[in-house]
């Protein structure tokens, strides 16, 4: 009579936790914007070529995006309380996609360019800048999925140790 069992139904957490996704977006934006400005302040000050991105800034941007997406994905997976890895990975992908859209909107608002003007601006980027953006996005996407899945599947329950037999009332 003292044995108490607790099972977790894995279908309970199958819904999307948008709070966790939005938290990941804000964590990514905060980390990335803060440390990208630091990198630009340090690395661009030493740049001889003022018209484009130097190699140090490109490497810094790729590594920073990788780290920021991993940390944001890890927070998203933790806050989503996903039991199965696939649920955590899906939350990480959604966080990545929402972060990408948010950054594009901020870039559009910040440059004042919309529609065709923004397209023309992106096409006029130098090839190293295009490859830097591509590498940052691909590695950031992978880092978001890995980070989100890092905390999943660890939800275990402990057996209750203070259960006593109860004497019948009658």
């Amino acid at each position: 009579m003292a044995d108490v069992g607790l099972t977790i139904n894995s279908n309970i957490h199958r819904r999307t936790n948008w709070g966790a996704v939005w938290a990941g977006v804000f964590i990514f934006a905060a980390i990335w914007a803060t440390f990208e400005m630091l990198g630009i302040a340090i690395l661009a000050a030493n740049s001889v070529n003022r018209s484009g991105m130097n190699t140090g800034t490109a490497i810094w941007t790729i590594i920073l995006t990788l780290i920021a997406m991993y940390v944001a994905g890890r927070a998203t997976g933790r806050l989503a309380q996903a039991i199965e890895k696939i649920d955590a990975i899906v939350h990480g992908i959604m966080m990545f996609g929402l972060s990408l859209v948010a950054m594009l909107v901020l870039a559009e608002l910040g440059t004042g360019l919309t529609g065709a003007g923004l397209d023309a601006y992106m096409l006029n980027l130098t090839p190293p800048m295009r490859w830097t953006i591509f590498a940052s996005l691909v590695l950031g996407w992978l880092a978001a999925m890995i980070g989100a899945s890092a905390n999943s599947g660890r939800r275990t329950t402990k057996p209750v140790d203070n259960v006593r037999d109860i004497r019948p009332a009658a």
Side-chain angles (χ1 to χ4, degrees), residues 1-7 158-166:
M1 173 140 181
D3 294 334
V4 175
L6 180 63
T7 60
K158 295 180 182 177
V160 179
D161 58 354
N162 62 354
V163 176
R164 295 175 290 200
D165 288 332
I166 299 175

Side-chain angles (χ1 to χ4, degrees), residues 32-153:
W32 193 87
T34 301
F35 288 103
E36 183 68 12
M37 291 301 116
L38 175 67
I40 289 172
I42 293 171
L43 298 170
N46 298 328
S47 176
V48 177
N49 183 8
R50 300 275 183 212
S51 63
M53 180 183 287
N54 64 6
T55 306
T57 307
I59 293 170
W60 174 259
T61 300
I62 293 169
I63 292 172
L64 177 62
T65 304
L66 183 74
I67 293 169
M69 276 293 174
Y70 177 79
V71 171
R74 196 162 165 104
T76 299
R78 178 77 171 176
L79 293 172
Q81 297 178 351
I83 295 171
E84 297 180 12
K85 282 198 181 289
I86 190 66
D87 293 335
I89 290 171
V90 168
H91 277 83
I93 292 171
M94 288 188 301
M95 184 275 303
F96 170 78
L98 195 56
S99 296
L100 182 62
V101 169
M103 289 300 193
L104 287 173
V105 168
L106 288 175
E108 195 170 296
L109 293 173
T111 60
L113 299 172
T114 58
L118 185 62
D119 290 342
Y121 174 76
M122 295 299 278
L123 290 174
N124 287 331
L125 293 175
T126 62
M129 291 175 83
R130 290 182 200 157
W131 282 109
T132 299
I133 293 169
F134 175 74
S136 294
L137 290 176
V138 170
L139 294 175
W141 173 60
L142 293 172
M145 290 190 301
I146 292 168
S149 68
N151 284 328
S152 66

